[in-house]
Amino acid sequence: MSAPPATALAWASADPYAAALRAGRGPLFLRRSDGWLLPLEVERWCARADRVDLDVLDRCEGTVLDVGCGPGRLVAELAARGRAVLGIDVSEAAVDHTVRLGGQALRRSVFEALPGEGRWDTVLLMDGNVGIGGDPRALLDRAAELLRPGGLLIAETAPADVDERVHVRITDTHTAAGAAFPWARLGTPALLRHARGWERAGQWTAGGRTFVALRSRSASSSAEAPKRTALISSQRARKPSGESPVADR
């Protein structure tokens, strides 16, 4: 499957983004054509995982793929816990930062061929990454391809009830990098509307951030649903499988 070129190339070649990651701070925004700016939380992304992040990571099961891992705080935290985890990002600066923190990461789009397809236990779409590609349904379909049957997707949604497709550029307010590319913003109700073929496994709000957990369907999903929902609620993580897709590079 090929990557959506506009989105992948824009982030990969965005000098303001790379500069912000190297500095560990913004300001950095996604700029819409009408001038509207969406702030990007570079300082939080470059810091250690906070208590809200840790709660999300406690809910992860088995092997974890962090899509759009950015500078790698979540990958590094899971790796420090001894979990099998891989980050992917189209930005070389982001991948380099993740590796320096001690995590494994590849410079790749989620829509390209990836290690362990169909065998990941958990896929993460954090920090607005549910907007990747500007087509939520296509992204959800791709996540289902990456997960094992009955696997877990945890997505961070916009705190507002929003469902929009936009074209944006990456900017530090002085420099807008590259061509405009498609992006999406989804609140929880919108994501659940798009999640046809998925089972709802939980939703919650913490620290002003909102999250949804979805379970990919499998032949035995109906029988397993109560047990798996209890697992989400208790925030217990399964031990990584002996057959780790992280090593399948």
Side-chain angles (χ1 to χ4, degrees):
M1 184 179 294
S2 61
T7 302
L9 291 175
W11 284 98
S13 61
D15 290 340
Y17 180 60
L21 293 191
R22 285 193 294 268
R25 61 182 184 275
L28 197 68
F29 305 89
L30 295 182
R31 181 193 293 273
R32 212 162 54 188
S33 58
D34 62 4
W36 177 88
L37 296 174
L38 174 66
L40 301 179
E41 299 182 74
V42 177
E43 290 86 352
R44 179 170 66 79
W45 299 348
C46 289
R48 297 184 61 178
D50 61 22
R51 62 177 182 81
V52 178
D53 296 327
L54 296 177
D55 175 68
V56 170
L57 299 184
D58 287 343
R59 298 170 187 257
C60 291
E61 300 174 2
T63 56
V64 181
L65 178 67
D66 185 3
V67 174
C69 66
R73 74 188 191 283
L74 305 180
V75 175
E77 174 62 29
L78 284 170
R81 297 182 182 190
R83 300 290 295 276
V85 57
L86 176 68
I88 60 168
D89 203 288
V90 296
S91 164
E92 183 176 5
V95 169
D96 288 347
H97 197 285
T98 301
V99 172
R100 286 198 300 273
L101 290 181
Q104 291 190 59
L106 295 177
R107 187 181 182 187
R108 205 159 305 174
S109 162
V110 65
F111 294 100
E112 294 179 288
L114 293 172
E117 295 204 12
R119 293 192 285 124
W120 293 96
D121 295 307
T122 303
V123 167
L124 294 176
L125 288 171
M126 297 281 282
D127 303 325
N129 287 330
V130 73
I132 289 173
D135 185 342
R137 183 64 188 175
L139 184 58
L140 287 170
D141 288 346
R142 180 57 175 149
E145 292 175 349
L146 296 169
L147 286 165
R148 62 169 176 80
L152 184 67
L153 171 67
I154 300 179
E156 183 171 356
T157 56
D161 185 4
V162 60
D163 186 358
E164 66 177 12
R165 314 291 174 274
V166 294
H167 279 75
V168 294
R169 298 172 188 262
I170 302 166
T171 179
D172 58 7
T173 71
H174 301 294
T175 306
F181 60 91
W183 196 252
R185 291 181 66 233
L186 300 175
T188 293
L191 179 59
L192 293 175
R193 286 195 299 271
H194 287 287
R196 297 186 301 274
W198 293 79
E199 295 177 353
R200 189 184 311 186
Q203 62 187 79
W204 66 98
T205 299
R209 297 162 62 190
T210 54
F211 304 89
V212 173
L214 300 170
R215 178 96 39 202
S216 63
R217 292 193 184 275
S218 64
S220 58
S221 60
S222 297
E224 294 180 352
K227 179 179 70 176
R228 295 193 183 283
T229 302
L231 180 63
I232 289 288
S233 299
S234 65
Q235 303 178 21
R236 290 185 291 107
R238 294 198 306 121
K239 292 183 180 179
S241 165
E243 296 183 2
S244 168
V246 178
D248 182 14
R249 299 173 66 178

